[in-house]
């Protein structure tokens, strides 16, 4: 038997899905794809509420960057010809003030295990396998539930129709675009232009562009339900 360190998270994710689904099944029906789609949206709401402390930390850290600009400029001017010393002084300043320029990525990184747990739950349903607290009836309903003519458990790489490919492709693009725009907006609103210098800032810019590319490449293998989760979260 393979050990799964995220089995507890799969239980939580599936438990939330089941309870939201039971609520939305009242107006839409137990086997409706919209019942499961809105259950995934409900999961997003719960996760976003749980991550509020991280978002607060993210915004506070980025705003601290504004207050540190005079000191940052002093360090950059003083050690203009010594990149290594400049980096050391900048890191010491960030540590002293409790500021982390990479904090904009914290919410994304924190959601990664949840994202993976939902992927496993939906992927298992596509293979008619129970995962988490889903019953056999839940799995059958979820694996056959459709929205816009595509199953929620379908993915672009295992699509059996052009319709599925179109919907999955659209959601991959939507997920990628909203991931980039969300992070860029947070950076633009909470960090001035002159704060985007130094080693940490360069790393943050790199992640700003790398993460959407990773999602775009990997997204073609994600079930439609997972794409819906991340796009809604953004």
């Amino acid at each position: 038997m393979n050990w799964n360190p995220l089995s507890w998270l799969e239980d939580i994710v599936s438990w939330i899905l089941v309870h939201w689904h039971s609520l939305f099944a009242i107006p839409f029906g137990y086997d409706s794809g919209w019942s499961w789609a809105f259950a995934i949206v409900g999961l997003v709401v719960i996760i976003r509420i749980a991550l509020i402390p991280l978002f607060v930390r993210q915004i506070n850290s980025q705003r601290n960057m504004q207050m540190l600009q005079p000191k940052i400029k002093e360090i950059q001017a003083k050690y203009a010809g010594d990149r290594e010393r400049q980096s050391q002084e900048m890191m010491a300043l960030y540590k002293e003030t409790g500021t982390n320029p990479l904090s904009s990525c914290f919410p994304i990184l924190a959601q990664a295990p949840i994202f993976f747990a939902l992927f496993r739950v939906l992927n298992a349903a596509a293979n008619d396998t129970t995962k988490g607290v889903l019953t056999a009836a839940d799995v059958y309903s979820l694996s056959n539930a459709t929205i816009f003519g595509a199953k929620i458990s379908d993915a672009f790489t295992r699509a059996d129709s052009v319709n599925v490919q179109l919907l999955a492709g659209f959601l991959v693009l939507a997920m990628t675009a909203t991931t980039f725009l969300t992070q860029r907006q947070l950076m633009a609103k909470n960090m001035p232009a002159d704060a985007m210098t130094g080693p940490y800032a360069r790393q943050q810019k790199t992640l700003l562009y790398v993460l959407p590319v990773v999602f775009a490449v990997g997204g073609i293998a994600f079930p439609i339900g997972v794409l819906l989760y991340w796009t809604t979260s953004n």
Side-chain angles (χ1 to χ4, degrees):
M1 180 177 175
N2 294 328
W3 178 66
N4 178 16
L6 290 181
S7 60
W8 62 275
L9 194 53
E10 292 170 3
D11 290 342
I12 293 175
V13 167
S14 58
W15 185 85
I16 295 174
L17 276 180
V18 166
H19 282 75
W20 276 114
H21 174 255
S22 64
L23 176 64
F24 289 112
I26 297 174
F28 296 106
Y30 183 83
D31 293 324
S32 170
W34 291 106
S35 297
W36 288 107
F38 282 116
I40 292 173
V41 173
L43 173 65
V44 172
V45 172
I46 298 298
I47 298 305
R48 297 299 276 196
I49 290 174
L51 292 178
I52 284 177
L54 275 182
F55 281 103
V56 172
R57 182 181 176 185
Q58 169 191 12
I59 292 173
N60 287 339
S61 184
Q62 289 181 328
R63 288 180 177 171
N64 283 344
M65 289 291 293
Q66 295 178 335
M67 299 175 63
L68 292 177
Q69 284 314 293
K71 292 184 178 180
I72 291 174
K73 288 181 178 179
E74 288 178 10
I75 292 174
Q76 290 172 338
K78 186 176 182 179
Y79 304 102
D82 189 344
R83 286 296 186 94
E84 183 177 352
R85 183 62 185 278
Q86 185 183 108
S87 297
Q88 292 174 350
E89 293 296 325
M90 295 277 278
M91 286 188 286
L93 177 63
Y94 292 147
K95 183 177 181 180
E96 179 185 346
T97 57
T99 302
N100 190 341
L102 295 178
S103 60
S104 65
C105 297
F106 286 169
I108 283 184
L109 296 177
Q111 287 191 84
I114 301 165
F115 185 81
F116 185 65
L118 179 60
F119 173 84
R120 286 178 58 85
V121 169
L122 293 178
N123 202 50
N127 295 307
D128 297 324
T129 304
T130 58
K131 183 73 68 175
V133 303
L134 293 180
T135 65
D138 292 330
V139 168
Y140 179 82
S141 176
L142 180 55
S143 65
N144 291 283
T146 63
I147 55 172
F148 299 116
K151 293 181 180 179
I152 289 179
S153 57
D154 278 339
F156 186 89
T157 53
R158 57 169 182 263
D160 56 5
S161 70
V162 175
N163 186 65
V164 173
Q165 290 181 327
L166 288 175
L167 180 59
F170 171 78
L171 287 175
V172 168
L173 292 176
M175 177 183 68
T176 303
T178 53
T179 296
F180 175 80
L181 292 174
T182 299
Q183 295 307 306
R184 184 180 180 185
Q185 183 182 41
L186 287 171
M187 289 172 60
K189 284 191 174 185
N190 294 291
M191 294 183 69
D194 54 2
M196 298 307 297
T197 57
Y200 280 137
R202 285 195 294 272
Q203 291 176 27
Q204 186 167 343
K205 284 184 178 180
T206 299
L207 289 174
L208 174 65
Y209 291 97
V210 169
L211 286 176
V213 173
V214 171
F215 282 124
V217 174
I220 60 174
F222 296 160
I224 285 175
V226 171
L227 299 175
L228 179 62
Y229 169 88
W230 200 266
T231 302
T232 303
S233 182
N234 288 336

